[in-house]
Amino acid sequence: RRPPRSTRKESSAASDVYKRQVHGKGKIGVVSVAGKYRTGKSFLLNRVIMGRMNGGFGVGSTINACTKGIWVWSQPLKARNAEGEEFDVLVMDSEGIGGIDEDQNHDTRIFLLATLLSSLLIYNSVGNIDESALQNISLIVNMSKHLQVRSQAGGEADPEELKSYFPSFLWVLRDFALKLTDTKGNPISARQYLENSLLPQKGSSENAEIKNRIRRVITGVFRERDCFPLIRPLEDEKGIQNLQEMPDGSLRPEFVEQMKILKDKIFKRVKPKKLNESYINGEMLLELCNAYTRAFNSGEIPCIENAWNSMCKFHSHKVIEELAGEYEKELNNCAEKYKYDPEKIKKVNEELREKMHRPVSYTHLRAHETVLDLVCRLLLEKKKKKKK
């Protein structure tokens, strides 16, 4: 079934899926794959990242795009950070860039949303990195026009300022057949190949400035960059059209080995999602998604600061609700246990006061109101509502 095209519906669908599959309390990494349409993004997700030969994201063999909007895989994967701590990894497939039935504004919004939600963005393309490949990714330049960092800021977002909010960037080159060497014929790494391709071009013409602006934005917004080439999986064109169903034994051994290396690289590079140096859990990620899509759907320019404030507001309410629930449960249990002895209940209440003093956003506290005062106020309001 084709997914709905509205970003509002995409956000709701992602929310429902994640609420069913993840508790949403721990750290979470997000891997998104973007790129020009009909270049095998879904195959990369299915076979390389998720290790699925059957099922997975939709893959087609025609000229028509398979993915519309953003798809989220229903079952999170697992990864470990450098300290050995395990965390969930959410996998997202985005609509291909340059589809004949969409415009650049639509492509930019989809690409921007995938970028803002990711902790690792994989850009998938075919062939080597040349001016044509850089032109295909030139919508990155437009992202600064469709995004604000602060609500009071005007004009385009500064690429250098976006750097702290954008994910790691991995450029995967499909059907790559060149030797990785420098101008002197010395071997270089894939990462160095990428960096060399992003060096400023000589010249002062308007054309040279356009080329260099794309390079400046890519190096400006993505502070962690890497590249990985994949050779053509097989030579038979009919086989290429049914690549998703082909077992590893039917593919070139070098390609199969490269898939394993790439998967290992992806899971080593993906990190838990952070915003403003704070880790994001599943529930917070969903609220971020909702904040960005609300802006898109209302015709506004998404603002990172506003999305952050919306997420903090949501998280504060969740913490306050949990505190209120704990406080009410503990106090009721103690009241019954001590048969409503005032002195004992007073002592228990003092212990609960200490327990309830934990870090929490104070956005919604009234003047001079402590967290415990707020909890008590909420309990009283709750009882009044029950009486009504």
Side-chain angles (χ1 to χ4, degrees):
R1 185 172 63 89
R2 286 162 66 94
R5 295 175 63 169
S6 166
T7 49
R8 182 183 294 108
K9 294 179 181 178
E10 289 155 13
S11 174
S12 176
S15 175
D16 292 342
V17 166
Y18 201 72
K19 284 177 180 177
R20 288 198 304 269
Q21 298 293 346
V22 180
H23 297 299
K25 301 296 184 182
K27 299 174 184 178
I28 178 171
V30 184
V31 177
S32 295
V33 176
K36 194 170 173 56
Y37 88 111
R38 305 308 300 126
T39 54
K41 294 185 284 70
S42 299
F43 173 84
L44 179 63
L45 281 160
N46 294 338
R47 290 292 288 271
V48 178
I49 298 177
M50 298 195 298
R52 299 177 65 93
M53 191 171 74
N54 298 311
F57 292 99
V59 177
S61 58
T62 69
I63 60 173
N64 301 310
C66 290
T67 305
K68 290 291 183 180
I70 293 179
W71 284 20
V72 182
W73 188 244
S74 60
Q75 185 64 49
L77 308 179
K78 298 291 183 181
R80 291 186 181 275
N81 58 21
E83 292 74 34
E85 180 185 12
E86 188 177 71
F87 60 94
D88 288 320
V89 175
L90 195 62
V91 180
M92 293 169 49
D93 189 10
S94 63
E95 182 173 348
I97 300 166
I100 57 177
D101 57 342
E102 300 295 353
D103 57 25
Q104 191 176 60
N105 185 56
H106 175 84
D107 289 345
T108 301
R109 288 185 170 190
I110 294 295
F111 190 87
L112 178 57
L113 182 58
T115 301
L116 290 171
L117 297 177
S118 302
S119 56
L120 174 62
L121 176 67
I122 300 175
Y123 182 74
N124 180 82
S125 69
V126 176
N128 56 310
I129 302 176
D130 54 17
E131 289 304 325
S132 177
L134 289 170
Q135 282 297 322
N136 287 335
I137 200 176
S138 63
L139 57 81
I140 288 179
V141 176
N142 294 329
M143 286 201 303
S144 60
K145 302 176 184 177
H146 291 77
L147 180 65
Q148 289 183 343
V149 175
R150 292 177 300 277
S151 57
Q152 300 302 319
E156 296 183 17
D158 182 5
E160 284 295 321
E161 193 172 16
L162 291 174
K163 183 182 292 185
S164 60
Y165 299 101
F166 273 31
S168 299
F169 179 76
L170 176 61
W171 195 331
V172 174
L173 304 172
R174 306 288 289 276
D175 299 350
F176 189 80
L178 302 179
K179 288 185 178 181
L180 291 175
T181 60
D182 59 18
T183 55
K184 297 181 180 180
N186 300 315
I188 58 173
S189 66
R191 180 183 294 180
Q192 189 58 54
Y193 171 63
L194 171 62
E195 295 304 313
N196 292 347
S197 301
L198 296 176
L199 290 174
Q201 301 296 292
K202 296 179 180 180
S204 56
S205 65
E206 183 179 351
N207 187 45
E209 172 55 27
I210 292 173
K211 292 179 180 179
N212 286 332
R213 189 183 183 197
I214 297 172
R215 290 170 166 83
R216 285 197 303 270
V217 172
I218 293 175
T219 55
V221 300
F222 297 116
R223 56 184 171 185
E224 293 183 6
R225 304 180 295 274
D226 204 349
C227 180
F228 193 92
L230 282 170
I231 63 172
R232 191 172 177 83
L234 37 78
E235 299 299 333
D236 179 36
E237 287 297 330
K238 292 183 178 180
I240 291 289
Q241 293 176 3
N242 298 289
L243 197 59
Q244 176 65 30
E245 290 77 30
M246 299 203 60
D248 289 353
S250 299
L251 305 177
R252 295 168 68 180
E254 300 91 339
F255 179 79
V256 175
E257 183 61 26
Q258 285 180 337
M259 286 200 301
K260 294 177 182 177
I261 297 172
L262 177 56
K263 181 175 183 178
D264 185 59
K265 177 184 281 287
I266 290 170
F267 279 88
K268 283 183 178 179
R269 290 192 68 88
V270 64
K271 299 175 183 177
K273 175 70 175 175
K274 294 176 75 175
L275 185 59
N276 287 336
E277 298 305 315
S278 298
Y279 286 108
I280 303 299
N281 62 31
E283 292 177 338
M284 296 160 77
L285 179 71
L286 290 175
E287 184 53 38
L288 274 181
C289 183
N290 287 329
Y292 290 133
T293 52
R294 280 196 299 268
F296 282 132
N297 291 326
S298 62
E300 299 175 358
I301 295 178
C303 175
I304 294 175
E305 181 184 53
N306 290 345
W308 166 260
N309 290 336
S310 177
M311 185 195 70
C312 289
K313 181 179 178 180
F314 171 81
H315 185 58
S316 297
H317 277 306
K318 293 288 291 185
V319 172
I320 291 167
E321 288 175 4
E322 290 174 3
L323 287 172
E326 288 180 27
Y327 186 84
E328 184 176 30
K329 181 180 178 181
E330 291 286 341
L331 203 57
N332 287 338
N333 289 341
C334 291
E336 294 178 6
K337 180 179 179 180
Y338 297 115
K339 302 190 182 301
Y340 299 92
D341 184 310
E343 291 301 319
K344 290 183 178 180
I345 292 178
K346 181 180 179 181
K347 183 179 179 180
V348 169
N349 186 56
E350 291 175 354
E351 293 175 354
L352 285 174
R353 287 176 68 93
E354 293 295 323
K355 184 178 179 182
M356 293 299 160
H357 278 86
R358 65 179 68 173
V360 65
S361 170
Y362 289 86
T363 307
H364 310 289
L365 300 184
R366 294 176 179 173
H368 310 297
E369 187 178 45
T370 67
V371 175
L372 184 62
D373 293 333
L374 177 62
V375 169
C376 293
R377 176 167 61 82
L378 291 175
L379 289 174
L380 288 173
E381 290 175 358
K382 182 178 178 182
K383 288 181 180 179
K384 287 180 182 179
K385 288 181 180 179
K386 284 184 177 179
K387 288 180 180 180
K388 290 180 182 179

